[in-house]
Amino acid sequence: MKYYLVSGEASGDLHGSNLIHELKQTDTKAEFRFFGGDLMAAEAGVEPTLHYNKMAFMGFVKVLMNLRAIKKNMKLCQTDILDFKPDAIVLIDFAGFNLRVARFAKSIGLKTIFYISPKIWAWKQSRIRKIKKYIDKMLTILPFETEFYAKFNYRVEYVGNPLLDAISNFDRSQTETNFRAANNLTDKPIIALLAGSRKQEVSFMLPVMIDAAKDFSEYQFVISGAPGLDVDFYKTIIPTDCDFPIIFNQTYNLLQFSRAALVTSGTATLETALFGVPEVVCYRTVAPNFLYRIGRKFLKVKWISLVNLIVGKEAVRELVQVDFDKETVAAELHKLLEDEQYKQQMKADYAYLQQRMGSSGASKRAAEAIVRFIS
């Protein structure tokens, strides 16, 4: 069968690549075309029609400024779907764009599958109308989403979380000594800086993380470079007197050998927890603080990090907007490194997180569900 996948972010590229791998195992005649990234390309054996790094516009202002590019991308997607004539469309997260793709796909009679639900449990619950109208099959990856959708009389299938697959398949054979040597790191204990995957995000988050890190000269801070961004971009942000190594395509290796991490809210917070690394969750928006406070009232959830949402309490500290400053980040990092009781409680919450999420095999279960549904 022929599958058309649409992913618009780095995390979607990772999940999409694992899904493609399993679809090939389940359907030996599978053909693929997609919007995505390098990981999906490696699995599919073809280049993306459009790379996700040309799609990720964050925030209302950025979206407004790039409306022409977004419309052009949508037109390209629609034309490519018509040319490819797939058996089904598989949409991976990236709700704003993908729900429009779903509407188009339904208009030409294609089956639509959404893998990784839009976060409508947090905001924009009105999107449930579009989901019920345009999405034939919803595959979810968070345990609490089944109950959420049941409130709207919409049945979903929980397949588990693909991050468990990615981490389970991660090759842990590299030693810390080799990792340090390969990346020219010192012998100081490592603290990871995961500042996000988009330019705007990194520009807002990384400077504060770096300022806070200056209080910890006995540690080696290492920046995890985001796929789709390059060294030159990071150099425009990092002060010239700051010698923080930047490493690309090694996030899991970095987490494996880190004592703690400063992490921008998103998928990376869950990955960090699954590696058992004590973390501080950080986030700041481009909006002024008073607008953020207004927007926060529309959120339907108590926390912003996936870790806390799954555990059901503040297992990791969230420093958001006005709380995200040099002094507060540094104070929380001191606790992670020096307060043994604090660390042990976090590790216990991580263990409960693992239990709630279940076992690996999500990508395989998703692939089987997709093939079964299309057939």
Side-chain angles (χ1 to χ4, degrees), residues 6 35 55 57 60 63-64 66-67 69-75 77-79 81 89 91-108 110 112 114 118 124 127 130-131 133-135:
V6 184
F35 276 32
M55 300 173 66
F57 303 112
F60 176 77
V63 168
L64 200 62
N66 290 279
L67 278 178
I70 294 169
K71 289 180 179 179
K72 182 180 177 181
N73 293 345
M74 180 59 66
K75 183 64 176 177
C77 186
Q78 294 173 352
T79 302
I81 288 171
I89 306 291
L91 307 164
I92 305 172
D93 204 354
F94 204 53
F97 188 87
N98 274 338
L99 286 174
R100 291 182 176 88
V101 176
R103 181 175 61 186
F104 169 77
K106 289 299 292 179
S107 74
I108 59 173
L110 290 177
T112 55
F114 216 115
K124 294 186 178 179
R127 278 179 169 169
K130 291 181 180 179
I131 289 171
K133 187 175 182 179
Y134 301 128
I135 304 302

Side-chain angles (χ1 to χ4, degrees), residues 207-216 221 262 325-326 329-330 333:
V208 178
M209 292 179 175
I210 289 174
D211 280 346
K214 291 177 181 177
D215 291 343
F216 300 83
F221 286 81
L262 305 181
D325 58 42
K326 170 189 171 182
V329 173
L333 188 52

Side-chain angles (χ1 to χ4, degrees), residues 186 188-191 193 208-222 243-244 259-260 262 280 325-339:
T186 68
K188 294 179 180 179
I190 296 170
I191 296 176
L193 300 182
V208 178
M209 292 179 175
I210 289 174
D211 280 346
K214 291 177 181 177
D215 291 343
F216 300 83
S217 58
E218 69 273 31
Y219 290 90
Q220 167 84 88
F221 286 81
V222 181
D243 185 24
F244 284 12
R259 297 285 183 88
L262 305 181
V280 186
D325 58 42
K326 170 189 171 182
E327 292 75 21
T328 313
V329 173
E332 185 63 22
L333 188 52
H334 274 295
K335 287 182 69 176
L336 291 183
L337 295 169
E338 299 162 10
D339 188 332

